[in-house]
Amino acid sequence: MRAPKVLLVVSSLLIGLVAADWQFRSRPDLAPPRLNITIPATKDVQKGYLFLAPFAGYPDTPTERHGPRQAAPYIFRDNGDLVWSGYGLYSIWATNFQAGRWKGKDILFSFEGDHNAGYGHGHGHITIFDQHYETIRELRAGRHKLVDKHEFRIVNEKTGLIEVYQPVPRDLTAYGAKPEQQWIVNAIFQELDIETGKLLFEWHSLDHVSPDEAILPINPGQAGSGYNSSDAWDYFHINSVDKNSEGDYIISARDACAIHKINGTSGEIIWRLNGNKSDFKVHKEAEFCFQHHARWFPSSEENIEIISLYDNSAHGTEHSSGREVRTADFSSGKILRLNTTSWTAELIQGYYPPPGHKLLSKSQGSTQVLPNGNVLVNWGSEGAVTEYTADGKPIFHAYMDSGDLGKGVENYRGFRFNWTGLPNEDPAVVALKGDDDKTTVYVSWNGDTETAVWRFFKVSAGFGSKTFLGETKRTSFETKWVVPSGKNVGNVAAEAVDKHGRVLRTTGVAKVEAEVLPAGHARGASHGNITDKSQKILGLEEAPSSGWEESTIYKIFRWAKDL
């Protein structure tokens, strides 16, 4: 009966590591996901932060828990260190989290609303934050419609592109439907004035694209059966919109495996790329299907258009034969060159899974071309992100697996942006006195990007005058500082100081409290809360800060095997 014992011990180790390793003394309410970095960032990565919004792709069961425990928008550093948790600020399901500019100012935005995972739809609104993490705008669709989760694209810092999934009744018998299969999704996009919400342009797929262009037919119901409005046939499945300087649009139709260029005045289709009615001869390596996130890329050549996209090559449904719906063995990011004279489409560069990583995402995904020419690929339902040099060399890779909660972690889109955050809320501080009579102060400021040094002060009884105790460099999301020996303190406060020596904000006053440690925790163990025994087992001097390497897992199981 050794196997159950082994499994129990390994499981308890895994749960202990995950539960403790990302808890903050100053913010015990936060339990952000944990990045499992398998390719550490090189010096060639684009400067900036990672913008992610991971969530659990599977529901919890009585015997399995799926992470992350707090699905929300997050900002991370390349080493996996948390910058900002949007948990509770975006209070309902949020996705497509990005930084942008509106009216000359830096902003954050995200879809916020309901998530219908079975159909890949969402219904809600776009919530915009300022640099202080305060809500400054909630944008909703025009003409009594509901914003979908897939897209919000800011144009010229003034307008926004959104999508709508509108079920409508139609006679669908010409497309293989039974008379009672009458519901189809009309894929809609709108351009809105962000400040006023005024509708500037609206386009309907059923006015321009026949249902016979669908790659997934109405039967056997892989894209909706059409029997009712909640299960309408999603023949088109719009999932991205972009606009060029000439005022035309490109849209991605996932379930038609096609990109369409739309006239920005009439709404007529200028060209179709790929799918059943392509206007281009698409070279084999440039083919794609079930794609996401089509974006225009600047081109100086006449009659040449460049686009980037994420090629899923897979769908989140099964074929009637039981086979997976796929067109390739792995997903990829792609940059394509379209010649509108010869009407050919060729691959400029592909961005494929790093060696040893098999990534085929049945849903979601994005490809971001960065300012320095690098490309960031987010692997959607695979819950991973990779940065490449322009020529396709991977220089950073991470899974969003949160340790043992990793099964099914997904992330719709992933980005890298520069960002300056100055939270309106005060920093959090706690002072804890251990059995050795040493007092340790923990301080953090959720979303702050500017603090370089923390200064600490003794606050007199009655919270009056302050006496300087010392300072330390900011080390992470949460900074730890030990009060010097001989300094008897009862109340402590801290100041956040930037690299120029300016005081940004002062914490409240923390009364020194007795430290409480997890049961079985050895005094003197690392702050990551891994016990001394666990550290010896794993061969670690301190808790891992950026996720599990395969070698760590092998160490655990080698040890367990010998029990």
Side-chain angles (χ1 to χ4, degrees), residues 15 78 99 102 107 121 137 147-148 176 225 231 261 267 269 276 384 406 478 536:
I15 293 171
D78 291 333
W102 176 41
I107 60 168
H121 299 174
R137 185 75 173 97
V147 175
D148 173 65
S225 68
D231 192 28
K261 182 177 180 180
I269 295 175
N276 287 336
E478 179 175 80
K536 291 176 182 178

Side-chain angles (χ1 to χ4, degrees), residues 39-72:
I39 301 177
T42 73
K43 61 179 178 58
D44 296 319
V45 299
Q46 171 73 51
K47 294 186 184 303
Y49 303 107
L50 295 170
F51 282 63
L52 309 171
F55 62 96
Y58 297 106
D60 287 351
T61 70
T63 58
E64 287 186 335
R65 296 188 305 162
H66 303 293
R69 302 317 301 167
Q70 296 181 349

Side-chain angles (χ1 to χ4, degrees), residues 180-228:
E180 57 268 31
Q181 291 175 285
Q182 297 179 323
W183 288 92
I184 189 170
V185 175
N186 193 11
I188 299 170
F189 77 83
Q190 297 181 344
E191 183 168 4
L192 306 168
D193 181 279
I194 297 175
E195 185 161 23
T196 65
K198 181 181 178 181
L199 178 62
L200 304 175
F201 185 85
E202 182 173 276
W203 184 89
H204 294 223
S205 67
L206 286 174
D207 292 341
H208 303 279
V209 181
S210 170
D212 63 10
E213 293 189 34
I215 295 295
L216 297 179
I218 191 167
N219 291 313
Q222 296 160 311
S225 68
Y227 284 105
N228 55 66

Side-chain angles (χ1 to χ4, degrees), residues 244-298:
N244 66 10
S245 58
E246 286 76 41
D248 297 324
Y249 305 91
I250 54 169
I251 58 176
S252 168
R254 168 170 163 84
D255 287 354
C257 293
I259 306 295
H260 298 70
K261 182 177 180 180
I262 308 298
N263 184 295
T265 302
S266 67
E268 295 300 315
I269 295 175
I270 298 173
W271 51 247
R272 292 169 172 83
L273 171 66
N274 213 54
N276 287 336
K277 295 185 178 181
S278 180
D279 294 303
F280 295 86
K281 180 181 179 181
V282 183
H283 292 190
K284 180 66 177 177
E285 65 275 12
E287 292 177 353
F288 56 87
C289 203
F290 306 121
Q291 75 290 336
H292 284 79
H293 199 225
R295 290 287 187 257
W296 257 307
F297 193 73

Side-chain angles (χ1 to χ4, degrees), residues 301-341:
E301 298 180 80
E302 188 175 356
N303 299 321
I304 298 296
E305 299 187 63
I306 310 295
I307 66 169
S308 62
L309 57 85
Y310 180 75
D311 177 15
N312 291 75
S313 291
H315 198 275
T317 57
E318 301 296 320
H319 190 271
S320 57
S321 67
R323 293 180 287 108
E324 290 182 341
V325 179
R326 64 165 69 181
T327 58
D329 293 331
F330 48 81
S331 303
S332 61
K334 290 181 175 178
I335 299 178
L336 306 181
R337 182 178 187 269
L338 314 180
N339 188 317
T340 55
T341 300

